[in-house]
């Protein structure tokens, strides 16, 4: 009779070991199974994954800065009036100063100066950066953000001085933005993984999956990468004028939900927790055999040394 490949556990044998958490076999966690593989990987592999992903995201930001943001700012500075001053929390220009509206535009950004209080949004752009008399306004379809000027600032706001300062600090500003972007991404990923790791841990508990708290943190850290990739694609689509500002804002909200969905789905791809058998004696099983020959057993029964000691008589027993 052919065997089935299963081995029945013997009484008193060691329990079967728990199934190990899946080890990492790939580098791209773009599927729930790929995210689940990072639960059993070393921590340094998760750190390397975040470093590579953060570098790619930073390169995308660098491309947008070089292709759109910095050229637009330079063009806006070149179109500033010859005289202007920012002092005591107000932007001041000589009377009868002519302004070009807008100062500069890109595929999604428009920069303008309006010393009056009637700054309007440029409907052809997704974001407007407008310098009014008393504040900076960021205007989009989602609303307006107002940033007042610091009252203690005393800065020139004219073409020659502003353009010279930009050329002197452009390189350092570019490097600071890239370094700040990379650091912010990595730190935010660690914080979000710490906050969200309880969700897959709770789900694994109720679904009998093999997942401890440390493995849940690594799984959640890997689940953040698909959301970051989605955001990078949104930035590229915004720069290429394929996506509008409203769609980009909606994508920005969705990319926070993607890691939660990935971490929960990845938890369902983990192996089930192994059932450990208790090392207890079966009361209904046959008695264990001594393994000695029958003649030796009979000899041991007849031997005085093998007999159990007799209970001594009670000296206080009643005598009739």
């Amino acid at each position: 009779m052919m065997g089935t490949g299963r081995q029945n556990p013997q009484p008193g044998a060691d329990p079967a070991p728990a199934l190990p958490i899946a080890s990492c076999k790939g580098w791209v966690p773009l599927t729930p199974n790929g995210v689940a593989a990072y639960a059993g990987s070393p921590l340094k592999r998760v750190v390397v994954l975040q470093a590579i992903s953060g570098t790619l995201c930073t390169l995308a930001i660098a491309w947008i800065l070089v292709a759109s943001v910095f050229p637009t700012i330079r063009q806006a500075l070149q179109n500033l009036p010859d005289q202007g001053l920012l002092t005591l929390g107000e932007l001041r220009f000589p009377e009868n100063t002519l302004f070009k509206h807008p100062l500069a535009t890109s595929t999604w950004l428009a920069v303008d100066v309006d010393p009056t209080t009637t700054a309007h949004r440029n409907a052809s752009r997704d974001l407007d950066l407008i310098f009014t008399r008393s504040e900076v306004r960021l205007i989009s379809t989602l609303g307006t953000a107002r940033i007042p000027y610091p009252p203690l600032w005393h800065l020139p706001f004219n073409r020659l001085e502003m353009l010279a300062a930009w050329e002197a600090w452009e390189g350092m500003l570019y490097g600071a933005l890239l370094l700040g972007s990379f650091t912010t991404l990595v730190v935010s990923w660690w914080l979000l993984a710490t906050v969200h790791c309880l969700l897959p841990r709770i789900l694994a508990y109720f679904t009998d999956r093999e997942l401890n708290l440390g493995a849940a943190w690594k799984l959640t850290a890997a689940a953040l990468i698909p959301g970051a990739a989605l955001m990078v694609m949104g930035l590229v689509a915004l720069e290429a004028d394929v996506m509008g500002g409203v769609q980009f804002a909606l994508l920005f909200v969705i990319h926070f939900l993607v890691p939660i969905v990935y971490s929960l789905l990845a938890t369902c791809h983990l192996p089930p927790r192994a059932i450990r058998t208790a090392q207890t004696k079966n009361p209904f099983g046959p008695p264990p055999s001594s393994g000695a020959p029958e003649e030796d057993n009979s000899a041991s029964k007849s031997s005085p040394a093998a007999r159990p000691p007799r209970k001594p008589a009670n000296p206080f027993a009643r005598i009739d």
Side-chain angles (χ1 to χ4, degrees):
M1 183 176 179
M2 297 180 61
T4 59
R6 291 186 176 181
Q7 295 181 358
N8 296 325
Q10 300 295 331
D14 294 336
L19 294 176
I21 299 177
S23 59
C24 184
K25 297 181 180 179
W27 282 96
V28 185
L30 296 181
T31 62
N33 193 24
V35 172
Y38 277 87
S41 65
L43 179 61
K44 63 179 181 180
R45 177 163 291 193
V46 179
V47 174
V48 171
L49 172 68
Q50 291 182 339
I52 295 175
S53 303
T55 301
L56 294 178
C57 294
T58 305
L59 290 177
I61 296 174
W63 173 68
I64 293 176
L65 291 176
V66 172
S68 181
V69 178
F70 279 20
T72 305
I73 295 177
R74 176 180 287 273
Q75 183 183 0
L77 295 178
Q78 292 174 348
N79 292 328
L80 281 176
D82 293 335
Q83 296 182 4
L85 184 65
L86 176 60
T87 181
L88 299 178
E90 289 188 359
L91 190 59
R92 302 178 181 179
F93 295 96
E95 295 183 1
N96 301 325
T97 301
L98 298 178
F99 297 93
K100 179 183 178 181
H101 298 289
L103 294 178
T105 59
S106 66
T107 55
W108 56 274
L109 175 64
V111 181
D112 200 1
V113 172
D114 191 349
T116 66
T117 57
T118 59
H120 299 287
R121 178 176 178 269
N122 189 346
S124 61
R125 297 296 179 266
D126 299 314
L127 179 64
D128 285 88
L129 176 63
I130 303 178
F131 295 88
T132 64
R133 180 179 295 275
S134 60
E135 61 188 6
V136 179
R137 297 184 184 179
L138 295 172
I139 306 176
S140 66
T141 55
L142 300 179
T144 303
R146 304 171 185 268
I147 306 174
Y149 300 127
L152 300 180
W153 280 15
H154 183 81
L155 301 173
F157 204 88
N158 55 71
R159 179 174 56 85
L160 294 178
E161 294 183 80
M162 291 290 289
L163 189 59
W166 175 259
E167 291 178 351
W169 292 92
E170 181 179 5
M172 296 186 63
L173 180 61
Y174 183 75
L177 287 176
L178 296 186
L179 180 60
S181 299
F182 180 84
T183 305
T184 302
L185 284 173
V186 174
V187 172
S188 63
W189 286 342
W190 280 64
L191 293 177
L192 289 174
T194 304
V195 173
H196 292 169
C197 68
L198 292 178
L199 295 178
R201 180 67 184 90
I202 294 174
L203 180 61
Y205 175 80
F206 286 104
T207 57
D208 291 331
R209 302 288 175 176
E210 190 70 25
L211 185 69
N212 54 36
L213 191 59
W217 188 94
K218 292 183 287 186
L219 182 146
T220 309
L224 292 168
I225 304 305
L230 182 64
M231 196 64 192
V232 169
M233 291 188 291
L235 289 173
V236 174
L238 181 66
E239 178 62 29
D241 205 12
V242 177
M243 178 182 296
V246 177
Q247 293 84 355
F248 181 78
L250 180 61
L251 184 67
F252 181 77
V253 175
I254 292 176
H255 102 280
F256 286 107
L257 303 178
V258 170
I260 299 177
V261 176
Y262 262 82
S263 60
L264 296 180
L265 292 178
T267 305
C268 298
H269 285 76
L270 294 174
R273 186 183 295 111
I275 301 178
R276 297 181 180 272
T277 57
Q279 298 183 8
T280 56
K281 183 178 179 180
N282 186 2
F284 303 102
S289 58
S290 60
E294 186 177 356
E295 56 273 8
D296 295 341
N297 191 16
S298 60
S300 62
K301 289 182 180 180
S302 59
S303 174
R307 295 177 182 176
R310 295 182 61 184
K311 186 176 180 180
N314 186 1
F316 303 100
R318 180 177 178 180
I319 302 175
D320 295 335

